[in-house]
């Protein structure tokens, strides 16, 4: 009979209660860019979560102080690279408010139109990328097809695909190209006709619903505590949208078309549903703006500015309903051609803080589903 050897390995009684520290990121596993999450785990469950930011920080707020009021537009449109037009808009609205400047009506309606087209471009990216993070590869191809249709009209009018640089203090860079309104209307109609792909292919998928329903529920109290805004806040039942509640541009005249979408569940599925329904409404708003522009008489698209533009001494705050949430600029002027101070309040910076409350108690497997449903851009966090 062959002798056998038995080996007993002891791990110690304390090992079962020892927490594990897991770093997610700062590269690809963190999704949407260079974010790092420091998780403390008890088995497969998250005990604590700490977002670690700053890997892309480029000091835009300090650079604002060394650029004149025309040049800061270039810095402003890059923090949320999916919402470049809306980022520019907040800066020029703040400077125009300081100057007491009235913008031509054609510029007001064109800005509103382009802001809504930019909102659709932003939302389509997340409508495609979020299912991809959960294992569904097909929707992202449809999303990029629709984005390309709208990118073409945005590129034609501005010359840029991502960083449009089309806003100017006093209006817009130039008037719309001949026939552009018709091409824009056709693009909006084409995208709208194919949006059922996301309604059926994504929301109709039981695996997607199983991964997102009841997962990562964010309470309205947490929304208010952390200053969360945009689709994430409205997914938790917080009924607030600056376009309706503090109208700017032409939104005050679009009340009949504007629909503020909310859900009460506050989970990943609710946030996705809000984003999808907002996309439908943004297309409707774009059509309404095109209708109004068609009825306007020919006129200027901007104001003539002095060679050296100086804002009077004082301060102001301008905020807009960006695609990802509230975007605000606090401008302080000493009467010079550069801002004395320009503080940026970005949507993603506040929204991502809620992860410290949202992730604890959830499983590691649900972390990616929760993280993707926060719809953030890392440049919008790091500024």
């Amino acid at each position: 009979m062959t002798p056998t050897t038995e080996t007993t390995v002891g791990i110690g009684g304390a090992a079962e209660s020892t927490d594990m520290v897991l770093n997610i990121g700062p590269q690809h596993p963190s999704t949407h860019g260079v974010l790092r999450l420091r998780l403390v785990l008890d088995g497969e469950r998250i005990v604590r979560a700490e977002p670690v930011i700053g890997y892309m920080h480029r000091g835009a707020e300090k650079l604002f102080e060394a650029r004149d009021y025309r040049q800061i537009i270039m810095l402003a449109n890059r923090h949320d690279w999916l919402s470049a037009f809306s980022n520019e808009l907040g800066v020029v609205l703040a400077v125009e408010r300081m100057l007491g400047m009235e913008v031509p009506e054609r510029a007001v309606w064109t800005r509103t139109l382009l802001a809504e087209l930019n909102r659709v471009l932003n939302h389509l990216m997340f409508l495609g990328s979020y299912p991809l993070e959960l294992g569904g590869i097909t929707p992202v191809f449809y999303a990029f097809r629709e984005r390309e249709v709208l990118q073409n009209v945005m590129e034609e009018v501005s010359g840029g695909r991502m960083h449009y640089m089309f806003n100017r203090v006093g209006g817009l860079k130039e008037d719309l190209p001949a026939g552009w309104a018709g091409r824009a209307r056709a693009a909006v109609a084409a995208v709208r006709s194919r949006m059922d792909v996301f309604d059926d292919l994504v929301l109709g998928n039981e695996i997607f619903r199983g991964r997102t329903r009841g997962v990562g529920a964010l309470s309205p109290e947490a929304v208010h505590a952390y200053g969360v805004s945009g689709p994430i806040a409205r997914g938790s039942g917080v009924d607030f949208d600056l376009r309706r509640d503090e109208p700017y541009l032409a939104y005050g005249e679009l009340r009949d078309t504007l629909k503020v979408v909310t859900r009460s569940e506050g989970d990943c599925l609710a946030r996705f549903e809000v984003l999808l329904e907002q996309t439908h409404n943004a297309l409707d708003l774009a059509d309404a703006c095109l209708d109004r522009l068609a009825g306007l008489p020919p006129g200027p698209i901007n104001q003539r500015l002095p060679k050296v533009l100086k804002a009077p001494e004082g301060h102001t705050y301008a905020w807009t309903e960006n695609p990802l949430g509230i975007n605000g600029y606090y401008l302080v002027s000493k009467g010079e051609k550069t801002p004395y101070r320009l503080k940026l309040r970005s949507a993603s910076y506040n929204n991502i803080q809620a992860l410290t409350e949202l992730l604890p108690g959830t499983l590691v497997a649900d972390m990616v589903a929760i993280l993707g449903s926060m719809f953030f851009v890392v440049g919008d966090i790091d500024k």
Side-chain angles (χ1 to χ4, degrees):
M1 182 176 180
T2 305
T4 59
T5 303
E6 293 183 2
T7 303
T8 303
V9 179
I11 61 172
E16 295 179 3
S17 61
T18 301
D19 291 335
M20 175 184 178
V21 178
L22 178 65
N23 282 293
I24 303 294
Q27 291 300 330
H28 178 262
S30 61
T31 74
H32 296 307
V34 192
L35 174 73
R36 174 182 161 212
L37 283 176
R38 185 179 183 275
L39 305 179
V40 178
L41 308 179
D42 181 6
E44 288 292 315
R45 200 164 292 277
I46 298 171
V47 178
R48 288 197 307 278
E50 176 192 357
V52 183
I53 66 173
Y55 292 95
M56 292 182 67
H57 181 63
R58 57 193 177 88
E61 290 176 331
K62 196 65 181 172
L63 292 172
F64 285 146
E65 300 170 15
R67 306 289 189 276
D68 66 34
Y69 287 106
R70 293 178 175 90
Q71 294 169 328
I72 59 176
I73 299 172
M74 178 273 295
L75 292 171
N77 73 8
R78 281 162 164 75
H79 58 91
D80 174 3
W81 46 77
L82 297 178
S83 309
F85 185 87
S86 301
N87 300 339
E88 300 171 11
L89 190 59
V91 166
V92 297
L93 289 176
V95 179
E96 288 163 4
R97 185 174 297 173
M98 289 285 285
L99 294 168
M101 181 181 288
E102 289 289 331
V103 177
E105 188 178 15
R106 281 181 60 79
V108 171
W109 281 96
T110 305
R111 280 176 171 179
T112 310
L113 165 63
L114 296 176
E116 290 305 311
L117 292 178
N118 193 196
R119 192 181 309 277
V120 177
L121 284 170
N122 175 289
H123 289 359
L124 280 171
M125 175 63 78
F126 290 105
L127 291 174
S129 68
Y130 185 44
L132 179 64
E133 289 158 14
L134 298 180
I137 191 172
T138 308
V140 75
F141 295 117
Y142 288 104
F144 269 85
R145 180 185 66 180
E146 311 314 330
R147 276 175 54 84
E148 195 64 30
V149 172
L150 293 177
Q151 285 280 27
N152 287 339
V153 296
M154 292 292 282
E155 183 178 8
E156 181 186 356
V157 75
S158 68
R161 286 184 62 81
M162 285 188 69
H163 306 303
Y164 304 108
M165 283 299 295
F166 197 57
N167 277 290
R168 295 292 186 272
V169 176
L172 294 167
K173 176 186 173 186
E174 56 197 8
D175 209 344
L176 304 175
W180 180 87
R183 291 187 288 276
R185 194 182 294 276
V188 169
V191 173
R192 181 188 287 109
S193 70
R194 297 193 289 255
M195 284 299 293
D196 61 341
V197 165
F198 300 98
D199 293 309
D200 301 334
L201 186 65
V202 182
L203 285 181
N205 187 294
E206 279 304 311
I207 298 175
F208 178 83
R209 299 183 75 87
R211 288 292 307 276
T212 55
R213 187 194 292 114
V215 174
L218 184 66
S219 68
E221 292 76 19
V223 167
H224 293 301
Y226 286 94
V228 174
S229 60
I232 302 170
R234 292 190 283 274
S236 295
V238 177
D239 189 7
F240 181 71
D241 190 312
L242 284 174
R243 296 174 296 170
R244 179 199 63 194
D245 301 324
E246 283 196 26
Y248 58 97
L249 295 181
Y251 290 112
E253 300 182 49
L254 291 169
R255 291 184 182 275
D256 294 338
T257 307
L258 176 62
K259 179 183 178 184
V260 180
V261 184
T262 60
R263 292 290 187 276
S264 59
E265 296 83 1
D267 56 11
C268 296
L269 181 59
R271 292 189 279 273
F272 186 87
E273 288 176 343
V274 168
L275 201 73
L276 179 55
E277 204 166 331
Q278 275 191 183
T279 308
H280 285 286
N281 186 239
L283 292 168
D284 294 338
L285 288 168
D287 268 340
C289 291
L290 286 165
D291 290 340
R292 182 59 184 267
L293 279 170
L296 290 179
I301 200 77
N302 51 36
Q303 295 275 25
R304 290 184 64 87
L305 298 177
K307 188 173 182 179
V308 178
L309 180 63
K310 295 183 178 181
E313 189 168 347
H315 61 92
T316 191
Y317 182 70
W319 57 348
T320 55
E321 187 69 40
N322 266 33
L324 298 181
I326 292 174
N327 191 78
Y329 291 97
Y330 178 59
L331 171 63
V332 181
S333 172
K334 294 291 188 181
E336 302 296 331
K337 65 178 182 179
T338 62
Y340 176 75
R341 186 78 174 91
L342 187 56
K343 176 73 174 72
L344 166 60
R345 189 265 191 221
S346 61
S348 298
Y349 183 81
N350 282 69
N351 291 354
I352 208 66
Q353 293 182 83
L355 288 172
T356 58
E357 185 159 325
L358 197 54
L359 287 176
T362 63
L363 296 170
V364 176
D366 290 330
M367 181 208 61
V368 173
I370 296 169
L371 200 59
S373 74
M374 298 304 283
F375 309 132
F376 61 88
V377 171
V378 174
D380 204 39
I381 301 170
D382 290 346
K383 298 182 270 189

